[in-house]
Amino acid sequence: MPEHASALQRRWGWVLAPVLSLVMLSLTYAHWRSEERGSRERRDVNFQVAAERIGYNLADRMATYEMVLRGTRGYFEGSERIDRQEFRSYVSSLQLQETRPGLKGISLILKLPAASLSSHIEDMRQRGFPQYTVRPPGDRPTYAAVTHIEPLDAENQRVLGLDAYMVPAAREALDRAADTGALAVSALLPLAQDEPAGGPGVW
């Protein structure tokens, strides 16, 4: 091979090597960008699907709770005196703990003036709750005491007598429900069932 041809090949070798390297790096980068973009798009789609599923589940859960609360209100309005066994049977028939896990219980709250407090406490004690009292103690013009809750297990018994008006988030939801006649959900608050830890929940 002529000497000048060999020199030309060496020169082209020096030029082509970095060019080929740049081409390969460009292809690798383009492939990486394509995969990264595809992965990001898949994550976005999965997130959107998950968010829609959560939103649907929450809407379904709230619709169920609203139906239960409306039924409970109708039951309450149609009874002069709420029999505890009937209330237990009604709540049990809903099977909410099986179909809606996370629901601590369904309760009735009685709004009463200060003048009725003593007779209310005596009535509750005669119903089988000898230690019943309205908590926290203190003189207030109006009370909103939890008088019924189902299931009446050891945790839920801690709620009996609780004055919901003394829990700001619960009072706001109760007042909103009274004003609008619609289902109202409180802000997060510590649940009395979870004392002393006070795990978060809603009313």
Side-chain angles (χ1 to χ4, degrees):
M1 178 181 295
E3 184 176 344
H4 71 277
S6 177
L8 184 62
Q9 284 182 342
R10 285 196 300 272
R11 212 167 28 245
W12 274 108
W14 281 105
V15 173
L16 286 176
V19 170
L20 288 174
S21 297
L22 286 174
V23 170
M24 293 301 296
L25 286 173
S26 298
L27 290 174
T28 300
Y29 177 74
H31 176 72
W32 175 80
R33 287 288 297 170
S34 176
E35 286 296 315
E36 196 273 338
R37 185 165 52 249
S39 177
R40 185 170 61 249
E41 289 174 354
R42 287 192 295 272
R43 287 197 303 270
D44 291 344
V45 169
N46 290 338
F47 176 80
Q48 183 175 357
V49 170
E52 290 176 353
R53 184 182 298 116
I54 291 172
Y56 172 80
N57 288 339
L58 285 174
D60 178 62
R61 186 178 291 259
M62 294 307 296
T64 300
Y65 292 164
E66 183 171 12
M67 179 184 67
V68 169
L69 291 176
R70 290 190 183 280
T72 304
R73 184 173 68 178
Y75 173 70
F76 179 81
E77 291 174 347
S79 303
E80 183 176 334
R81 181 183 177 93
I82 301 297
D83 180 83
R84 192 167 298 279
Q85 185 56 49
E86 288 180 355
F87 184 66
R88 179 180 295 118
S89 298
Y90 170 73
V91 174
S92 297
S93 69
L94 300 175
Q95 299 182 324
L96 290 175
Q97 288 191 309
E98 291 78 14
T99 59
R100 291 293 183 269
L103 180 67
K104 286 282 190 178
I106 297 178
S107 61
L108 294 180
I109 295 175
L110 178 63
K111 185 177 179 181
L112 65 151
S116 301
L117 181 62
S118 296
S119 59
H120 165 69
I121 292 174
E122 181 62 29
D123 177 59
M124 289 294 293
R125 289 179 177 178
Q126 289 179 1
R127 291 197 195 195
F129 300 96
Q131 304 302 317
Y132 178 87
T133 189
V134 174
R135 302 173 284 111
D139 295 329
R140 300 182 284 279
T142 308
Y143 301 83
V146 177
T147 59
H148 296 65
I149 188 166
E150 290 295 337
L152 191 58
D153 53 27
E155 286 188 349
N156 281 340
Q157 286 189 40
R158 299 175 188 167
V159 183
L160 285 177
L162 178 66
D163 183 0
Y165 272 178
M166 296 301 290
V167 183
R171 177 163 192 157
E172 188 278 329
L174 288 172
D175 290 343
R176 183 157 32 96
D179 291 340
T180 64
L183 174 67
V185 179
S186 73
L188 281 177
L189 50 79
L191 295 177
Q193 292 98 320
D194 295 331
E195 290 179 351
V202 297
W203 281 33

